[in-house]
Amino acid sequence: APGALHSVDREEIFVALAGHATVVLGGVEHSFSAGDALVVAAGETFSLANHGDEPFEAIAALPVGGKAAMPGGEAFLPPWTT
C-alpha cells in the first residue's frame, strides 16, 4: 500500500514486527524491516509504505493527544488513537 506524506506534532516511535516497508523521512528513502525501530521527531514529514506482497506489521507509539497533518492540511487525531 502506498504511504501518505504527513507529520505528527509529537515524537512517534515505530517498531517493525513482520515484513518489510519503505520509510521516507526528511526526503530520504529507508528500508524498514522486522526488528527495526524508527523514531520520527515532532514536525518531521514522513511516509511509511508496504510495496511488497508480504504483510507488514508494526507497533506505533504516539503520546496521548498527538495529532497528525498532511502537508498544508488541518491537524487531526490519527484513526488508531481513537
Side-chain angles (χ1 to χ4, degrees):
L5 278 175
H6 65 288
S7 62
V8 290
D9 64 353
R10 303 190 184 173
E11 181 178 86
E12 187 169 19
I13 301 169
F14 296 88
V15 177
L17 302 177
H20 174 81
T22 301
V23 175
V24 176
L25 181 65
V28 179
E29 190 171 291
H30 304 273
S31 177
F32 189 46
S33 300
D36 292 345
L38 171 69
V39 178
V40 179
E44 184 77 43
T45 300
F46 72 101
S47 69
L48 178 64
N50 177 3
H51 297 292
D53 296 328
E54 182 182 351
F56 175 74
E57 296 179 23
I59 293 174
L62 180 66
V64 172
K67 293 185 179 177
M70 307 299 254
E74 295 287 322
F76 62 92
L77 289 174
W80 58 91
T81 64
T82 58

